[in-house]
Amino acid sequence: MGFTTDSDVTDFLTDYITAMGLSDQDPGEILDRYFVPDFEYVTEEAVLDRQRMIDHVRPARRNVGGAETPSLEVDVHDALVSGDRIAARYTLRTTLRRGKTFEAEIFMFGRLAHDGRIHRIEQTSRPPAARS
């Protein structure tokens, strides 16, 4: 996967988040499609490497996939590719196993490796902005 257009970022967010959250695919194989082996994924809470992402996916899948009607929605508001940099603002919504809904507006900034896969992502989130 290489990122050359803004729609590549949108496609990545939709495909990657859905595959990691709801599919039965091996998380390592999904990561290898989009990320270099030594990537870093930085959030407010942690710096995740490949193994920590794999470890994080299994309980997340149980929590989302265990819902009576599993759902995961990614609404990309802005996406940008500029050279070896990517950025996006999107809203993530999902229904959790116990019927609760999780929703967050996420701001993501990334750096690409020479082969076009992601080397580093830094992201922060907040509750979604009020809708008018």
Side-chain angles (χ1 to χ4, degrees):
M1 158 119 226
F3 294 86
T4 56
T5 68
D6 299 350
S7 65
D8 292 337
V9 177
T10 299
D11 293 344
F12 157 71
L13 288 168
T14 303
D15 297 344
Y16 168 76
I17 292 170
T18 301
M20 289 296 270
L22 292 178
S23 78
D24 291 332
Q25 294 177 54
D26 177 80
E29 290 177 11
I30 297 166
L31 289 171
D32 292 344
R33 277 198 300 268
Y34 300 108
F35 295 88
V36 295
D38 63 340
F39 74 88
E40 290 184 315
Y41 203 111
V42 182
T43 70
E44 297 102 328
E45 300 159 2
V47 177
L48 304 173
D49 61 12
R50 186 176 188 281
Q51 189 58 53
R52 287 187 74 189
M53 284 292 276
I54 290 170
D55 294 344
H56 174 75
V57 167
R58 297 186 199 293
R61 282 182 176 175
R62 280 192 305 273
N63 206 13
V64 173
E68 189 171 316
T69 308
S71 71
L72 198 145
E73 180 184 343
V74 179
D75 185 10
V76 180
H77 310 292
D78 299 294
L80 177 69
V81 174
S82 180
D84 69 344
R85 306 218 179 205
I86 59 174
R89 180 178 64 90
Y90 63 99
T91 301
L92 174 65
R93 291 177 202 86
T94 186
T95 303
L96 303 175
R97 176 178 40 203
R98 297 196 170 123
K100 291 185 179 181
T101 299
F102 170 84
E103 185 172 2
E105 184 176 22
I106 300 168
F107 302 86
M108 180 199 79
F109 304 92
R111 167 91 29 122
L112 302 173
H114 294 294
D115 69 0
R117 292 183 294 166
I118 297 168
H119 182 259
R120 182 177 176 89
I121 283 183
E122 295 184 46
Q123 73 177 30
T124 188
S125 62
R126 67 177 185 189
R131 297 185 183 132
S132 46

